[in-house]
Amino acid sequence: MYGWIWRKLPGSLPLKVVQALVLVLAVVALLLFVVFPWIEPLLPFNQVTTTG
């Protein structure tokens, strides 16, 4: 899959590196600002019970 993305990116090697970096940063930003906040209430980490 990564090879397919690399072959589809236009331009020379330096341009492909910059484009790949932008793609990675876009995916990370999408995960951090959209996906993780949306799924966080569904995770059981906030339901901590302690006995004392």
Side-chain angles (χ1 to χ4, degrees):
M1 177 177 181
Y2 300 115
W4 179 83
I5 294 171
W6 186 260
R7 287 189 301 272
K8 294 297 180 185
L9 290 174
S12 61
L13 181 63
L15 184 59
K16 283 185 178 190
V17 170
V18 171
Q19 291 173 353
L21 183 61
V22 168
L23 281 174
V24 168
L25 291 176
V27 169
V28 168
L30 180 70
L31 287 172
L32 284 175
F33 296 116
V34 177
V35 176
F36 293 153
W38 173 72
I39 202 168
E40 190 265 336
L42 304 174
L43 297 175
F45 300 129
N46 290 334
Q47 301 166 357
V48 178
T49 58
T50 58
T51 58

